[in-house]
Amino acid sequence: MKLLPHLPLCVVATALLSSAAGTARATDSYSAAVLNDHPLALYRLNDVAPPDVATNSGSLGATGNGSYVGAGHRANGALAADSDAAASFDGTGGRVMVPFAPALNPPASHPFSIEAWIMPTIDGLGNAQAPLFNRHSQGNRQGWVFFQRAADTGFNFRMYNENGGTQSIDITGGPYTVSAWNHVVAVWDGNAATLYVNGANAGSQTGGYVANSDVPFSIGAYGADNAGDNPFTGSIDEVAFYTNALTADQVYNHYTNGLSATSPAAYRVQVLTDGAVEYLRLNEATPYTNVAVNVGSLGATGDGRHTPGAIHGVPGAIVGAAGTATRYSAIDTNSDDGGVPTLIPYNDALNPSGSFTVEAWLRPTEDGAGNAQSPLFNRDPNDGNAPNRAGWDFFQRTHDTGFNFRMFNGIGHDRVFNITGGTYTVGQWCHLVAVYDASVPSATLYLNGVQVATETTPEEGSYTPNTYAPLSIGSYSDASQNPFVGDIDEFAVYTNALSAGQVMSHYSNGTNASRIVAYSQLILGDHPVEYLHLDDPARAVAANSSTLGTALDATYVNTSNSLAGPVPPANLGFDTNNLAASFDAVSTYIELGNPAALNFAGPITLEAWILPDASQNPDGYILGHGDNDNFTAATFLRIENGSYEVGDINGYASYTIPDGDLGGGNWIHLAGTWDGANWNLYRNGELVATNEDATGPTTVDNANWAIGARGRWKNGAGFPDAGEDRVFTGGIDEAAIYNVALTPAQVAAHYAAGVQGSVTLGISFSGSEAILDWTTGTLQEADAVTGPYSDLTNAVAPYHVPVANTAGKFYRLKL
């Protein structure tokens, strides 16, 4: 309240308090109003898109970083001894763009070299594909470009000297095989250019040259002057630029090192030693998906995908190292059901019929249960689909019993080996290894470097590997059964039987802060096909803007905030660049999990802005918590069969959707409350429905919250299907959850703040008059600060009032 106590005229209230939380920007009145009412969670869904960076490892540093523009991530790479990934291109104009830099465009008198590994997956076209582009094309052309010609013709390197569109250097050679990697290098020595393909000289020419003076360097398509033209289809890896002329021997050594399977460091070390100023390994994961990056020899084919709800960046297992781990949990901790596993697609290399080793560091945070937790799992989880079990699994038994490793023979539930041993301490890291030696045959279990169980006599038949199911970390691969609760780090699979000495060496290194050899180097030296550090950062984050901060951050699933949200002029309370999330009725939602702060009983408010499409699923959830597994608890704000609804299992308020809301193109403000006695539903600030419910919301102990879908329950399908139930269609913005019932006045104020912005009533004086000014609303007048107030329906701003009124007047706005 704003008072002017010594004047006969007073402004007693403003339409919107301007003392909201500091996270709201000055032009964003809506979030200020919401945060002033203290929501537990507020998902503004205006998250800044994470940078999609191609990191430069050359001497130019970050100045040479590129950006992925529609290019794909984590294709299998070119180098035989290095699991590093490559970028992929689908022929639609996706590319990696490096901003113009003089260091990448030396003058003609200065030598340079450009190098890449290129794998076309289609033959060269008449409108030739351009895998590498660094040409100013408008008017007199400058710079250089590569083209992919027909497979029996080879690659074409062109240079320009500002002679219209005519090239001054034009070299073609080196036939290639479609879907095979090719090492391509062009060298300019200041006078002549030489093209090398797969280590061999494909031709040389002399000619003039003028360096590109302004356009970016592009990989995968033209990068300027019709950007995206001449798109390449295939993969590109290990792009390097040197401000020196590589010799024929250096080029050949790079090619042969790339083909060598003996030293993973040889190629990249040689590139940097030979002076690369720009070196793009193109191995980055997409910033929009929670990828578990594989650094084992299987490469990107062995990448996993983290289920939304797994927690990233927790302290890791390796003593003295900076790496982090992944935290796994159960939706229902009472029964240990409903998991958040990391899933690795099926691959023959992960399922040998011969010897293998499985290794990981685990930190269980609860004791083993009767329905035992499964930290590592590699068989079909559905006995209905696969009554004859094949593959292997691990279980965490009680702490004084240890871990259990089982192998199956493909006949019913018969086990070839079933070994258990090793005691562990809840809350402490332990090193777990199982070794199958097919030459004996035998299965051996190690805990903390020590053998704790072994069998050399098969119980039933011989081992039959899994032939199709994904490998799973953190629970069964269906994400509903036997979840592990705790942290997992440094997961590895080897297609050989590690020795007892190797196992002890790994454990000793991981627990020794004074190690000489890095833990990861030691592991890679033993040649795992699969090696996940599990230190991947959280990606696709939907940030929480309430005071509870990152503890309530959520995850975009199969969607992003690519939609324009409520913006001026229709909604003056939002920034002009306000964004919202889009939902497709099929596979999109935002995963909130079931954090303790959001699992409460009693009064509640659910609030959001929606842009509903004309066509909706019969049930389209805007905000949902559950149902739980026996359908006795749930809370929702939803569209159901043509009505807006807010409620729970016991009751709800419903309102028939007005004509024009669905598919009308206008953002709608919805809010629903339970105030201790009734469910109340508000549309655009007005109460439109109420219904008695004496019970109200209860806790939902085995299901999650979601935006745009019903929250995932403990027996629900696994990712990427988890949560994809009753999916909304259209846009959602500014989703908020409160543990209080907002009053009708608060809901109305939120809507008004969104539509009308920050509205204030101001007073100034001129001579014997007071001047009241406002931007919207109806001016009200009273003789006392407590009212009653009457509408001044004919008052128009600026409104002049004589000061001589000694009785005093009080003014406020009604919106």
Side-chain angles (χ1 to χ4, degrees), residues 405 407 417 419 435-444 454-458:
F405 176 63
M407 300 174 65
F417 295 111
I419 54 177
V435 177
Y436 171 58
D437 187 340
S439 67
V440 177
S442 66
T444 305
T454 189
E455 283 186 355
T456 57
T457 302

Side-chain angles (χ1 to χ4, degrees), residues 615-660:
S615 177
Q616 295 286 330
N617 286 327
D619 297 293
Y621 276 51
I622 300 159
L623 271 165
H625 190 192
D627 297 51
N628 66 358
D629 65 321
N630 58 4
F631 303 100
T632 58
T635 308
F636 51 79
L637 178 65
R638 69 189 183 190
I639 289 176
E640 176 155 336
N641 295 319
S643 295
Y644 296 130
E645 293 185 350
V646 64
D648 62 9
I649 293 296
N650 303 303
Y652 56 88
S654 179
Y655 176 68
T656 301
I657 298 173
D659 292 342

Side-chain angles (χ1 to χ4, degrees), residues 269-294:
V269 169
Q270 190 158 47
V271 167
L272 294 172
T273 300
D274 286 343
V277 295
E278 180 81 5
Y279 184 20
L280 303 179
R281 306 219 62 201
L282 300 176
N283 60 356
E284 292 83 10
T286 171
Y288 306 106
T289 303
N290 285 295
V291 175
V293 171
N294 176 39

Side-chain angles (χ1 to χ4, degrees), residues 40-43 542-544 546 548-554 591-592 595-598:
L40 289 176
L42 171 60
Y43 301 97
N544 168 47
S546 79
L548 294 179
T550 58
L552 297 184
D553 280 355
E591 174 66 56
L592 275 61
L598 297 182

Side-chain angles (χ1 to χ4, degrees), residues 669-671 682-688 744-752:
H669 179 256
L670 287 184
Y682 301 82
R683 175 189 174 275
N684 288 347
E686 295 184 1
L687 180 66
V688 294
Q746 287 173 308
V747 173
H750 289 190
Y751 173 67

Side-chain angles (χ1 to χ4, degrees), residues 249-620:
D249 285 345
Q250 287 175 309
V251 171
Y252 183 74
N253 287 339
H254 289 196
Y255 170 62
T256 56
N257 279 344
L259 298 180
S260 172
T262 58
S263 176
Y267 185 85
R268 62 179 180 268
V269 169
Q270 190 158 47
V271 167
L272 294 172
T273 300
D274 286 343
V277 295
E278 180 81 5
Y279 184 20
L280 303 179
R281 306 219 62 201
L282 300 176
N283 60 356
E284 292 83 10
T286 171
Y288 306 106
T289 303
N290 285 295
V291 175
V293 171
N294 176 39
V295 296
S297 62
L298 190 56
T301 302
D303 284 354
R305 195 169 183 186
H306 295 290
T307 299
I311 304 300
H312 304 269
V314 302
I318 307 306
V319 174
T324 60
T326 299
R327 179 160 295 164
Y328 298 89
S329 60
I331 293 177
D332 186 346
T333 56
N334 292 320
S335 67
D336 276 338
D337 285 309
V340 288
T342 300
L343 300 178
I344 303 163
Y346 175 82
N347 191 289
D348 287 342
L350 298 176
N351 295 278
S353 57
S355 300
F356 65 86
T357 301
V358 183
E359 173 180 38
W361 292 78
L362 289 77
R363 190 180 76 90
T365 53
E366 65 176 30
D367 205 358
N371 181 23
Q373 300 91 321
S374 180
L376 308 170
F377 184 87
N378 192 37
R379 61 175 174 84
D380 191 321
N382 188 332
D383 285 338
N385 291 337
N388 296 315
R389 291 181 176 178
W392 53 260
D393 57 28
F394 281 86
F395 289 102
Q396 174 198 344
R397 306 300 181 186
T398 60
H399 69 278
D400 54 356
T401 301
F403 291 92
N404 175 208
F405 176 63
R406 309 187 306 180
M407 300 174 65
F408 299 89
N409 66 4
I411 302 173
H413 292 189
D414 289 353
R415 302 160 191 167
V416 182
F417 295 111
N418 181 19
I419 54 177
T420 302
T423 59
Y424 61 87
T425 301
V426 172
Q428 293 185 8
W429 284 103
C430 59
H431 180 241
L432 180 66
V433 179
V435 177
Y436 171 58
D437 187 340
S439 67
V440 177
S442 66
T444 305
L445 188 66
Y446 297 86
L447 190 70
N448 294 336
V450 176
Q451 177 181 311
V452 294
T454 189
E455 283 186 355
T456 57
T457 302
E459 296 179 7
E460 296 284 348
S462 58
Y463 174 61
T464 299
N466 167 29
T467 58
Y468 61 88
L471 194 160
S472 181
I473 302 169
S475 81
Y476 280 23
S477 54
D478 61 7
S480 65
Q481 301 179 68
N482 297 69
F484 175 78
V485 180
D487 306 335
I488 301 180
D489 200 5
E490 305 293 329
F491 170 76
V493 177
Y494 310 77
T495 53
N496 59 285
L498 292 185
S499 68
Q502 287 173 305
V503 173
M504 176 55 78
S505 176
H506 293 188
Y507 171 70
S508 299
N509 180 288
T511 55
N512 180 12
S514 301
R515 65 183 65 81
I516 297 173
V517 176
Y519 181 84
S520 60
Q521 182 179 344
L522 179 65
I523 300 303
L524 289 171
D526 286 335
H527 309 297
V529 292
E530 184 80 10
Y531 181 20
L532 306 182
H533 290 304
L534 298 175
D535 62 351
D536 314 285
R539 301 180 174 96
V541 175
N544 168 47
S545 297
S546 79
T547 56
L548 294 179
T550 58
L552 297 184
D553 280 355
T555 304
Y556 293 96
V557 183
N558 301 323
T559 188
S560 65
N561 59 340
S562 57
L563 185 67
V567 294
N571 297 286
L572 296 173
F574 295 91
D575 288 340
T576 56
N577 60 352
N578 183 44
L579 297 174
S582 61
F583 301 85
D584 65 4
V586 178
S587 63
T588 54
Y589 69 105
I590 297 174
E591 174 66 56
L592 275 61
N594 195 21
L598 297 182
N599 192 21
F600 58 90
I604 194 171
T605 299
L606 304 179
E607 180 179 36
W609 290 78
I610 65 170
L611 184 69
D613 285 354
S615 177
Q616 295 286 330
N617 286 327
D619 297 293

Side-chain angles (χ1 to χ4, degrees), residues 59-418:
S59 60
L60 187 58
T63 301
N65 283 353
S67 298
Y68 288 85
V69 183
H73 297 263
R74 300 293 297 169
N76 282 332
L79 306 181
D82 196 326
S83 63
D84 225 39
S88 62
F89 305 86
D90 64 5
T92 62
R95 55 204 182 275
V96 175
M97 301 275 284
V98 180
F100 175 82
L104 301 180
N105 296 277
S109 60
H110 199 293
F112 67 85
S113 305
I114 178 72
E115 173 181 40
W117 289 80
I118 302 172
M119 184 177 72
T121 53
I122 63 172
D123 203 355
L125 304 174
N127 181 24
Q129 299 93 313
L132 303 170
F133 177 90
N134 192 45
R135 185 181 75 186
H136 174 101
S137 299
Q138 297 296 321
N140 291 319
R141 291 182 174 179
Q142 308 166 335
W144 54 262
V145 64
F146 281 87
F147 291 106
Q148 174 201 345
R149 304 301 182 186
D152 57 358
T153 302
F155 293 92
N156 175 209
F157 178 65
R158 292 182 171 185
M159 301 178 74
Y160 300 85
N161 68 345
E162 293 190 326
N163 183 20
T166 303
Q167 57 269 17
S168 54
I169 301 284
D170 188 5
I171 311 170
T172 301
Y176 60 86
T177 301
V178 172
S179 297
W181 283 106
N182 301 271
H183 182 243
V184 181
V185 181
V187 176
W188 170 253
D189 65 6
N191 180 57
T194 303
L195 175 66
Y196 296 88
V197 178
N198 292 333
N201 186 328
S204 295
Q205 285 183 12
T206 59
Y209 173 64
V210 175
N212 162 36
S213 60
D214 58 357
V215 303
F217 168 43
S218 180
I219 301 165
Y222 283 16
D225 306 328
N226 301 318
D229 272 8
N230 290 61
F232 173 78
T233 302
S235 299
I236 301 176
D237 199 8
E238 309 293 328
V239 177
F241 183 87
Y242 309 77
T243 51
N244 54 283
L246 293 179
T247 67
D249 285 345
Q250 287 175 309
V251 171
Y252 183 74
N253 287 339
H254 289 196
Y255 170 62
T256 56
N257 279 344
L259 298 180
S260 172
T262 58
S263 176
Y267 185 85
R268 62 179 180 268
V269 169
Q270 190 158 47
V271 167
L272 294 172
T273 300
D274 286 343
V277 295
E278 180 81 5
Y279 184 20
L280 303 179
R281 306 219 62 201
L282 300 176
N283 60 356
E284 292 83 10
T286 171
Y288 306 106
T289 303
N290 285 295
V291 175
V293 171
N294 176 39
V295 296
S297 62
L298 190 56
T301 302
D303 284 354
R305 195 169 183 186
H306 295 290
T307 299
I311 304 300
H312 304 269
V314 302
I318 307 306
V319 174
T324 60
T326 299
R327 179 160 295 164
Y328 298 89
S329 60
I331 293 177
D332 186 346
T333 56
N334 292 320
S335 67
D336 276 338
D337 285 309
V340 288
T342 300
L343 300 178
I344 303 163
Y346 175 82
N347 191 289
D348 287 342
L350 298 176
N351 295 278
S353 57
S355 300
F356 65 86
T357 301
V358 183
E359 173 180 38
W361 292 78
L362 289 77
R363 190 180 76 90
T365 53
E366 65 176 30
D367 205 358
N371 181 23
Q373 300 91 321
S374 180
L376 308 170
F377 184 87
N378 192 37
R379 61 175 174 84
D380 191 321
N382 188 332
D383 285 338
N385 291 337
N388 296 315
R389 291 181 176 178
W392 53 260
D393 57 28
F394 281 86
F395 289 102
Q396 174 198 344
R397 306 300 181 186
T398 60
H399 69 278
D400 54 356
T401 301
F403 291 92
N404 175 208
F405 176 63
R406 309 187 306 180
M407 300 174 65
F408 299 89
N409 66 4
I411 302 173
H413 292 189
D414 289 353
R415 302 160 191 167
V416 182
F417 295 111
N418 181 19

